[in-house]
């Protein structure tokens, strides 16, 4: 009998014992003496242990060096999440993670009750469709988070997904999907271009999430819901801003907004990125939210709003939603037309000059923003920035925002569209060997890609009076 009991104990899953046996780069896993992650091998060891069933709830980790070449996801299924505390201590992890099956991807795949702070991510995260059926969540820091906290995290990696059909999937710079999660003092500078329904600079889709003191500068593209901060958000967003261009395009309904694509309660935020939505049934585009947002004390300083095809719902603040005390740039064009308004509670907000949007006294008196503890005007002048976070490059210009050309969809098959603040006079498409594979004069807004084989290209876009812009394009057949 004693021998049988002994063998039974040996056959138990090693998850709990493995947690206490690991040493990593030092430490004991307590708050005062966390496990140290100082090499790629240590991070892979953590991934293997978590993916084997050890959640590390109550344990603490601290990054002790910048890491590169990371291809392993920590917590790769919803049944094996990480639940501890991870402190990046200001270091950055360079990822090269690409999945081709249902799942989660990021530095962490799934988090449950975890805390992640002071962590940076670079590199790339991607999903490639192989069988036409999928469900995934992609994020720089994590794919999916349930009951978690993020603070002082950032993503500089590019996130992409190419799929043949749509499902309930999402992608975000910090988190792809979040449920009852708080995200504070985080930012994204990476581009997000996915064929998943929802994408956002901070979070692709949120349920009952609280997002505050965050910003995005990356360009965001998704079929249904695209937002500078959150693509689809059933939660609150406050004290955030977006500088990236936002685009949503699909066959039926699309929602694009500078802060949220669809839903969400938004306050004390601004957007300076151009917004475009295109869908056959209805297109919703707004400087702050595309549709169904509750928006208070915000301003939109972008150059253009466009809702094209189908029924068009476009507003300087929201395509369709509730607005209280918001303002918008007087020079903004909505569907290629200037739109004026003196009603701060309308979907277009009240007119505002660009100089007012850069004036702390005007913003404080009109919108009641906190310039003592939260916001600041950069030393060189410009739109407001968040105290305690890096100032984005290009935010100091005293001139009006310049519209950057956007290619959509991207990846593309058959044809690609160009959205620009100026007429497109010429397009040149170069392959990766530097050979011009296609040149189109008087290109307009659509380029026929049928002569090109599948591959990765550099597209040079010429517009009168401005230097040419170059954008990456993926062509699929």
């Amino acid at each position: 009998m004693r021998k049988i009991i002994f063998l039974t104990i040996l056959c138990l899953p090693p998850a709990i014992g493995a947690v206490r046996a690991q040493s990593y780069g030092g430490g004991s896993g307590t708050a005062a003496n966390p496990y140290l992650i100082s090499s790629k091998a240590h991070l892979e060891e953590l991934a293997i242990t978590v993916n084997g069933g050890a959640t590390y709830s109550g344990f603490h980790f601290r990054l002790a060096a910048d890491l590169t070449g990371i291809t392993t996801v920590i917590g790769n299924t919803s049944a094996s999440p990480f639940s501890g505390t991870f402190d990046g201590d200001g270091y950055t992890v360079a990822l090269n993670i690409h999945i081709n099956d249902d799942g989660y991807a990021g530095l962490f795949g799934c988090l449950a009750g975890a805390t992640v702070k002071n962590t940076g991510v670079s590199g790339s995260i991607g999903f490639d469709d192989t069988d036409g059926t999928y469900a995934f969540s992609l994020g720089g820091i994590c794919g999916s988070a349930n009951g978690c906290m993020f603070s002082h995290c950032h993503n500089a990696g590019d996130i992409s997904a190419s799929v043949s059909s749509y499902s309930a999937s999402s992608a975000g710079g910090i988190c792809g999907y979040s449920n009852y999660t708080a995200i504070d003092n985080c930012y994204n500078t990476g581009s997000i271009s996915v064929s998943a329904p929802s994408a956002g600079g901070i979070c692709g889709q949120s349920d009952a999430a609280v997002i505050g003191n965050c910003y995005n500068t990356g360009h965001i593209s998704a079929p249904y819901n695209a937002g500078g901060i959150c693509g689809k958000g059933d939660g609150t967003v406050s004290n955030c801003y977006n500088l990236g261009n936002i685009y949503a395009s699909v066959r039926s309904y699309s929602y694009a907004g500078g802060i949220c694509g669809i839903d969400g309660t938004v306050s004390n935020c601004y957007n300076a990125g151009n917004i475009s939505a295109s869908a056959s049934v209805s297109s919703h585009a707004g400087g702050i939210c595309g549709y169904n947002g509750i928006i208070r004390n915000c301003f939109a300083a972008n150059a253009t709003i466009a809702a094209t095809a189908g029924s068009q719902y476009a507003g300087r603040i929201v395509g369709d939603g509730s607005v209280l005390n918001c303002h918008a740039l007087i020079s903004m064009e909505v569907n290629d037309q200037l739109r004026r308004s003196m009603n701060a509670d309308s979907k277009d907000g009240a007119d505002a000059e660009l100089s007012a949007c850069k004036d702390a006294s005007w913003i404080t008196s009109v919108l009641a923003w906190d310039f003592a503890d939260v916001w600041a005007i950069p030393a060189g002048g410009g739109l407001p920035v968040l105290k305690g976070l890096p100032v984005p490059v290009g935010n100091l210009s005293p001139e009006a925002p310049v519209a950057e050309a956007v290619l959509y969809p991207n990846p593309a098959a058959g044809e690609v569209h160009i959205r620009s603040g100026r007429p497109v006079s010429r397009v040149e498409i170069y392959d990766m060997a530097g050979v011009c594979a296609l040149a189109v004069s008087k290109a307009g807004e659509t380029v026929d890609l049928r002569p090109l084989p599948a591959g990765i290209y550099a597209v040079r876009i010429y517009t009168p009076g401005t230097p040419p812009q170059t954008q990456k394009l993926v062509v699929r057949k």
Side-chain angles (χ1 to χ4, degrees):
M1 177 62 72
R2 292 178 61 189
K3 182 177 181 180
I4 293 173
I5 294 174
F6 179 68
L7 291 174
T8 302
I9 292 172
L10 287 180
C11 292
L12 287 173
I16 303 301
V19 168
R20 294 188 171 91
Q22 303 291 358
S23 60
Y24 299 101
S28 59
T30 66
N33 188 29
Y35 288 128
L36 298 180
I37 305 294
S38 56
S39 69
K40 177 182 178 181
H42 294 154
L43 199 70
E44 290 175 342
E45 183 181 355
L46 173 60
I48 291 170
T49 308
V50 173
N51 297 346
T55 67
Y56 279 108
S57 178
F59 287 80
H60 295 255
F61 292 80
R62 187 172 70 222
L63 200 58
D66 292 328
L67 302 181
T68 60
I70 302 303
T71 59
T72 305
V73 177
I74 305 168
N76 59 357
T77 70
S78 58
S80 58
F82 176 79
S83 300
T85 296
F86 189 93
D87 183 354
D89 202 25
Y91 291 105
T92 297
V93 179
L95 302 177
N96 183 17
I97 293 176
H98 293 263
I99 60 175
N100 57 16
D101 202 354
D102 295 359
Y104 308 89
L107 174 59
F108 297 91
C110 288
L111 296 173
T115 296
V116 182
K117 56 186 178 181
N118 307 318
T119 302
V121 166
S122 63
S124 64
I125 303 101
F127 177 93
D128 292 310
D129 181 24
T130 57
D131 59 10
T133 61
Y134 69 94
F136 62 83
S137 293
L138 308 178
I141 302 297
C142 84
S144 176
N146 185 20
C148 298
M149 295 183 64
F150 299 90
S151 65
H152 293 279
C153 295
H154 69 271
N155 172 61
D158 292 334
I159 299 174
S160 62
S162 176
V163 296
S164 59
S165 61
Y166 302 124
S167 76
S169 300
S170 54
I174 301 300
C175 187
Y177 170 78
S178 66
N179 180 53
Y180 289 96
T181 289
I183 305 175
D184 183 65
N185 282 290
C186 296
Y187 64 95
N188 173 67
T189 60
S191 66
I192 302 174
S193 179
V194 296
S195 298
S198 299
I202 301 299
C203 185
Q205 179 175 341
S206 69
D207 290 327
V210 178
I211 302 174
N213 294 29
C214 297
Y215 73 78
N216 170 66
T217 65
H219 298 318
I220 312 297
S221 175
Y224 289 99
N225 315 309
I229 301 299
C230 188
K232 182 178 182 181
D234 178 15
T236 63
V237 179
S238 62
N239 296 319
C240 295
Y241 67 93
N242 171 65
L243 303 180
N245 292 332
I246 311 298
Y247 182 75
S249 173
V250 77
R251 298 182 185 90
S252 52
Y253 301 87
S254 63
Y255 309 91
I259 302 299
C260 288
I262 182 171
D263 298 334
T265 299
V266 181
S267 62
N268 295 43
C269 296
Y270 80 84
N271 169 61
N274 294 316
I275 312 298
S276 181
S278 177
S280 60
V281 178
S282 65
S283 306
H284 300 73
I288 303 299
C289 286
Y291 176 73
N292 205 33
I294 301 173
I295 307 164
R296 301 183 180 92
N297 301 328
C298 296
F299 72 84
N302 47 298
T304 62
I305 301 278
T308 61
S311 299
Q312 301 166 11
Y313 301 88
R316 298 191 302 184
I317 301 298
V318 65
D320 188 10
S322 175
V323 177
L324 179 65
N325 191 35
C326 293
H327 290 69
L329 201 62
I330 194 171
S331 60
M332 186 190 305
E333 292 187 358
V334 179
N335 287 342
D336 299 321
Q337 300 291 325
L338 288 174
R339 187 178 291 184
R340 305 293 297 273
S341 170
M342 298 303 294
N343 184 357
D345 298 337
S346 71
K347 73 174 189 176
D348 289 313
D351 293 343
E353 298 287 350
L354 181 62
S355 58
C357 299
K358 299 178 179 181
D359 185 344
S361 61
W362 181 87
I363 299 172
T364 300
S365 62
V366 175
L367 301 176
W369 289 16
D370 182 357
F371 275 83
D373 299 315
V374 179
W375 294 96
I377 299 298
L383 297 169
V385 296
L386 291 164
K387 292 185 175 181
L389 293 181
V391 176
V393 175
N395 194 47
L396 303 180
S397 172
E399 303 301 324
V402 176
E404 181 171 351
V406 177
L407 301 175
Y408 61 92
N410 191 3
E415 64 182 20
V416 67
H417 306 289
I418 303 171
R419 180 68 191 175
S420 175
R422 296 173 181 266
V424 176
S425 58
R426 180 176 173 82
V427 172
E428 297 171 351
I429 302 180
Y430 293 83
D431 62 21
M432 289 298 95
V435 176
C436 183
L438 183 67
V440 182
S441 299
K442 299 181 179 179
E445 296 183 354
T446 302
V447 177
D448 185 356
L449 300 177
R450 288 176 295 178
L452 298 178
I456 300 174
Y457 295 88
V459 181
R460 183 170 294 172
I461 303 163
Y462 294 84
T463 56
T466 61
Q469 301 181 43
T470 302
Q471 301 286 351
K472 174 183 173 182
L473 174 66
V474 177
V475 175
R476 299 191 184 278
K477 294 298 183 179

